[in-house]
Structure formats: C-alpha cells, structure tokens
Amino acid sequence: MKHNNIYLNKLSSHWNSHIAWLEAKPAGYPIKERISISSGFGKRLDPFKNSWSEHLGIDFQAPIGATIIAAGDGVVTKAVRDPVYGNLLVIDHVDQYQSRYAHASELLV
C-alpha cells in the first residue's frame, strides 16, 4: 500500500508539472469578444517600413475597449506607452515564447 502511494505521488507531481507547462504556452485567443486576424504569421508588407519582411506573430483586431486576456500563463516584462505600439504589454512564457499586446485602450495589469 505504501509503495502505491509513493508511486501515485510521483505520478501526480509529474502531471501537475506537465499541466503547468501547458498552461504557460500562449495557445488561446487573447480576446473573448468577436475578433478577426488582421495580419498573419509569415511574409507581409510591413506597415511601418513599407517593405516586405517576416512577421513573427499574429495580429488580432478587436473592438475598442475589448478586454485582453493572457493567452497563457507568464511573467509581465513590460507595460508601457510605446511610440509605435501605443499601450504595450509584453508577457514572457515558457520555452522563450513571448506575447505582445499592443494598441490597447488602457493597461490594467
């Protein structure tokens, strides 16, 4: 019986750690309201440089004032007013993933 409890504790610890790792992946939508993708991942005409460049993210468009939620658990590394991105929030996730939430109406962190 004691051996089973030790095994179950190890197994439980393994799965809890795996679940925490999955929850930290930015895999969900950052907005619950109706949204559209305004720019996808890959080559695109950069709106600031007016030349072709690699876009390393996905841009979502949402109504003004829409609530933005983190797409995965992480650490807020920046919450500033940026000259290009407006109100900008940056979250670092596991495995060097990073989420950037830009052009927000306001920052509530």
Side-chain angles (χ1 to χ4, degrees):
M1 184 72 146
K2 184 178 178 181
H3 184 273
N4 285 344
N5 286 342
I6 292 170
Y7 174 73
L8 287 175
N9 285 340
K10 285 183 181 179
L11 189 61
S12 176
S13 174
H14 165 77
W15 283 111
N16 286 337
S17 145
H18 190 67
I19 289 168
W21 176 78
L22 286 172
E23 288 174 341
K25 292 282 191 178
Y29 281 104
I31 302 166
K32 290 186 179 179
E33 284 89 350
R34 186 175 194 164
I35 61 172
S36 61
I37 294 177
S38 58
S39 185
F41 189 88
K43 286 235 184 254
R44 71 165 184 175
L45 186 59
D46 187 298
F48 301 105
K49 300 175 187 171
N50 201 28
S51 62
W52 289 98
S53 65
E54 194 72 23
H55 187 234
L56 301 177
I58 299 172
D59 294 346
F60 297 99
Q61 183 176 352
I64 293 173
T67 301
I68 301 168
I69 54 174
D73 293 347
V75 176
V76 174
T77 55
K78 190 182 283 187
V80 298
R81 175 79 184 153
D82 183 88
V84 175
Y85 295 107
N87 286 325
L88 172 68
L89 176 71
V90 179
I91 299 176
D92 286 347
H93 306 280
V94 296
D95 298 335
Q96 298 181 336
Y97 282 94
Q98 188 179 72
S99 295
R100 292 174 160 224
Y101 302 97
H103 310 296
S105 302
E106 60 181 329
L107 296 176
L108 302 173
V109 179

